[in-house]
Structure formats: structure tokens, C-alpha cells
């Protein structure tokens, strides 16, 4: 099962030259989440994202269940790539670059 197949909730897509399966779990008010999004877009990396704080009810429960699988602390931002083999917590440019290179 691919990373996106296990996500039974709506993701927003941002297209880029570099195609990836990256999924960003973020908060709409988080500065580090914004930095991560800006970096991905500046580097033209495609990704999907969800603002967890803008969800509610059953949808939020589904999102948090998937997030917990990759990041038990459920901190933000959490970037999941390469079918879950790479999980980057916080805004870490070098880790993102390395994960993209492994894709």
C-alpha cells in the first residue's frame, strides 16, 4: 500500500518540477510549517499537505491516526516521503534534500 493509499482524508496538492509522494502534516498558524512549505515550493518539489488545525471530528481523528504512525509525538511540521521511509520533523532543509535525492 502506498503512502497516499492509507490517507482516507482530503489533501491539498502543490505541483512542482520534482515529483514526489511527500505529505506534509502542518498547522495553519505554525511558522516552521510555513517555512517548510515555502522551501518545498522554492525548490519546485511537488507535495500534498493538510492543515490539521483546520479539520475537525472524524476527519481530524483519521489524520491524527496516520500522523501518529509516522510521528508518535504528533509535532508539526511532519513531512513524510518515500512511502513513509523518510519522516522529517520540523523544518530541516538538509534532511529534505537528502530524502528527495533518495526518491
Amino acid at each position: 500500500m502506498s503512502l497516499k493509499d492509507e490517507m482516507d482524508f482530503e489533501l491539498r496538492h502543490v505541483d512542482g518540477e520534482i515529483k514526489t509522494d511527500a505529505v506534509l502534516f502542518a498547522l495553519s498558524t505554525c511558522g516552521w510549517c510555513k517555512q517548510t512549505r515555502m522551501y518545498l515550493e522554492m525548490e519546485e518539489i511537488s507535495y500534498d499537505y493538510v492543515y490539521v488545525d483546520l479539520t475537525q471530528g472524524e476527519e481530524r481523528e483519521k489524520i491524527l491516526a496516520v500522523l501518529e504512525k509516522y510521528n508518535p509525538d504528533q509535532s508539526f511540521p511532519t513531512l513524510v516521503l518515500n512511502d513513509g521511509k523518510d519522516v522529517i520533523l520540523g523544518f530541516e532543509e538538509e534532511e529534505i534534500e537528502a530524502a528527495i535525492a533518495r526518491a
Side-chain angles (χ1 to χ4, degrees):
M1 178 185 314
S2 78
L3 175 61
K4 298 216 178 109
D5 288 340
E6 71 180 288
M7 298 189 183
D8 183 26
F9 47 85
E10 186 176 338
L11 295 167
R12 293 184 178 181
H13 181 72
V14 178
D15 205 17
E17 292 270 327
I18 301 169
K19 305 298 181 200
T20 72
D21 69 348
V23 175
L24 176 64
F25 294 87
L27 300 175
S28 64
T29 57
C30 167
W32 293 116
C33 300
K34 183 177 181 179
Q35 289 290 336
T36 302
R37 288 196 61 207
M38 288 173 51
Y39 175 76
L40 293 169
E41 291 172 29
M42 182 182 70
E43 295 297 319
E44 298 187 24
I45 299 167
S46 68
Y47 68 99
D48 291 291
Y49 73 97
V50 61
Y51 283 138
V52 179
D53 60 320
L54 299 182
T55 64
Q56 56 189 346
E58 186 178 326
E59 181 181 29
R60 181 178 286 184
E61 289 174 19
K62 289 178 183 179
I63 293 167
L64 292 175
V66 173
L67 175 59
E68 185 174 27
K69 177 179 176 183
Y70 296 101
N71 176 4
D73 292 335
Q74 298 183 353
S75 57
F76 300 95
T78 297
L79 184 64
V80 182
L81 304 99
N82 302 326
D83 271 332
K85 293 179 188 112
D86 290 295
V87 179
I88 300 166
L89 308 179
F91 174 55
E92 301 291 342
E93 287 182 42
E94 291 176 8
E95 288 184 37
I96 295 171
E97 287 175 19
I100 296 298
R102 285 189 291 274

